Amino acid sequence: MTEPVHVVRRLEKALADDDFSWTFVLVGEDQTDKLATLTGDLRGPVSETGDGKQITSGFSYWGIGPTIAWANATNDPFYLVMKAGSESFQRHWRKVKPHVDKGGFHFVSLGIGTGVKDRTILEDLRRRSPDMFYVPVDMSSEMLRLGAQESVRSGHFPISQVLPVQIDFSIRDNMSELAQMLNRLVGDEPLLYSLTGNTLANFDDDEDLLQLITDALRPQDRLLLEVATTIQLDDQTAKAAADEYHQTRAFAEFVTSALRYNTDLKIDNERVKFIGEIEDDDALLVKVLWQNDTREPIRMGLPDHTEVVLPIGDTIRLYTTRKYSTARLKRLTTACKLTPIEAIQSQFRYMRRPNPFGLELLLLAPESSGERDHTLADDIWAR
């Protein structure tokens, strides 16, 4: 019988074709279940505020159409939020990196995105641990392929050490199964989880998602969390947060793509509304809605070939995001029993006038790690 290590080497050799981009994906969910979930969400109650029918976070990127739309949006030079985020990540990661340099971490990326940030992390981690595993996780297998081409092939990372996993990690059972599989894969060796690109802000219950991830962490593991921030909380700043996403057509094409590819609704960008509001006195919430602002009901065909009627004023929530205050971040991490080891924050610099918005990269440890230092934590939150 061929030894397992020889099987891996033979497989890697078989797939090492520069002229054809092979990608492994471990599919963890029945895709018909996902389609049924999306269909059910689009049958939600009537609401004029985006609290009825909706496309939940992962479905915004699910399928080839939304994946292409996201790739186009990230490459749009007028999408300044994305541009600023890519530039700041390099600086922030350099300051966080010393805390994981000697750990021999494997890397678990929750929400791979374009793969650019993952490539930066992989290049540094692999210098310390050449045999490390890279496990990108996403609900969209198309996003996994897109991101892996950047993070793995552009970074020349060995394909035999890459295990892309297709699951919705916002589901408790999925996250639990992922954690168990990773434990079997790496044993007691530490894992660096990442949730970058302000992904946390896209979920209705951000604390619940953060708790799901925290529950998967062992004492030796760490979480790299990147969020959008604000130093002001008022109605004018909330409106500015909404306008920030409204200024590029490519982003509007992205947020409507899931609706465009999964229904027969005719999309008019004039009916897409960007609403900013203050949430819980410690964050800015931005909701992107499609609204029937015509003078008559509209019929919309669903993926199961049934129809739903959209009355006058009815909405479909397309996307949710937030900008966090320091108080909100402290509240979230405290509730989830996460200890900040390092936090690097910078304000956006792409406008001439003073800008209250920025990005923060935090390296967090579970309280069970024994690294809790009240003085250090207070120091970080006071910056």
Side-chain angles (χ1 to χ4, degrees), residues 126-192:
R126 193 172 174 229
R127 291 191 186 100
R128 294 289 184 181
S129 184
D131 297 327
M132 65 170 288
F133 284 105
Y134 169 45
V135 185
V137 182
D138 205 285
M139 197 180 99
S140 168
S141 56
E142 289 83 3
M143 285 296 296
L144 284 169
R145 180 173 172 82
L146 172 72
Q149 286 184 345
E150 176 63 37
S151 59
V152 175
R153 295 191 176 276
S154 297
H156 304 291
F157 193 87
I159 194 170
S160 61
Q161 294 167 223
V162 183
L163 184 62
V165 176
Q166 181 283 316
I167 59 166
D168 181 349
F169 56 82
S170 69
I171 297 175
R172 182 171 297 279
D173 287 347
N174 287 357
M175 197 65 202
S176 176
E177 290 292 338
L178 175 65
Q180 293 177 50
M181 183 273 285
L182 291 171
N183 289 345
R184 294 191 293 267
L185 180 69
V186 305
D188 292 332
E189 296 169 354
L191 295 164
L192 174 65

Side-chain angles (χ1 to χ4, degrees), residues 121-333:
I121 296 170
L122 281 174
E123 288 173 349
D124 286 328
L125 292 182
R126 193 172 174 229
R127 291 191 186 100
R128 294 289 184 181
S129 184
D131 297 327
M132 65 170 288
F133 284 105
Y134 169 45
V135 185
V137 182
D138 205 285
M139 197 180 99
S140 168
S141 56
E142 289 83 3
M143 285 296 296
L144 284 169
R145 180 173 172 82
L146 172 72
Q149 286 184 345
E150 176 63 37
S151 59
V152 175
R153 295 191 176 276
S154 297
H156 304 291
F157 193 87
I159 194 170
S160 61
Q161 294 167 223
V162 183
L163 184 62
V165 176
Q166 181 283 316
I167 59 166
D168 181 349
F169 56 82
S170 69
I171 297 175
R172 182 171 297 279
D173 287 347
N174 287 357
M175 197 65 202
S176 176
E177 290 292 338
L178 175 65
Q180 293 177 50
M181 183 273 285
L182 291 171
N183 289 345
R184 294 191 293 267
L185 180 69
V186 305
D188 292 332
E189 296 169 354
L191 295 164
L192 174 65
Y193 287 82
S194 75
L195 190 67
T196 58
N198 200 34
T199 301
L200 180 67
N202 299 149
F203 291 83
D204 284 347
D205 193 333
D206 50 355
E207 182 179 326
D208 183 64
L209 177 66
L210 189 58
Q211 187 63 62
L212 288 184
I213 298 170
T214 303
D215 290 344
L217 299 180
R218 304 163 301 170
Q220 65 270 38
D221 298 335
R222 299 293 179 266
L223 171 62
L224 190 70
L225 178 66
E226 185 184 37
V227 294
T229 60
T230 181
I231 57 175
Q232 293 176 202
L233 294 164
D234 54 55
D235 291 337
Q236 183 177 354
T237 309
K239 182 180 183 303
D243 290 344
E244 188 179 60
Y245 290 94
H246 195 193
Q247 60 188 322
T248 167
R249 182 178 178 82
F251 185 80
E253 293 292 333
F254 158 64
V255 294
T256 57
S257 61
L259 203 57
R260 192 186 307 274
Y261 283 92
N262 290 288
T263 74
D264 67 354
L265 189 66
K266 184 178 179 181
I267 305 298
D268 182 345
N269 284 349
E270 294 301 315
R271 296 196 181 113
V272 178
K273 318 295 182 184
F274 294 74
I275 311 297
E277 58 191 52
I278 302 169
E279 181 185 54
D280 299 332
D281 295 324
D282 57 10
L284 300 178
L285 176 68
V286 175
K287 293 189 291 187
V288 185
L289 319 173
W290 177 93
Q291 185 167 41
N292 178 11
D293 58 4
T294 68
R295 297 181 179 180
E296 58 186 22
I298 296 175
R299 304 185 76 86
M300 177 175 69
L302 298 176
D304 64 351
H305 305 295
T306 62
E307 287 187 336
V308 64
V309 176
L310 306 170
I312 298 171
D314 197 10
T315 59
I316 303 171
R317 192 195 319 172
L318 306 175
Y319 199 74
T320 301
T321 191
R322 294 178 179 85
K323 293 185 183 294
Y324 293 95
S325 69
T326 298
R328 176 66 163 265
L329 291 175
K330 183 178 181 180
R331 176 165 70 83
L332 286 174
T333 53

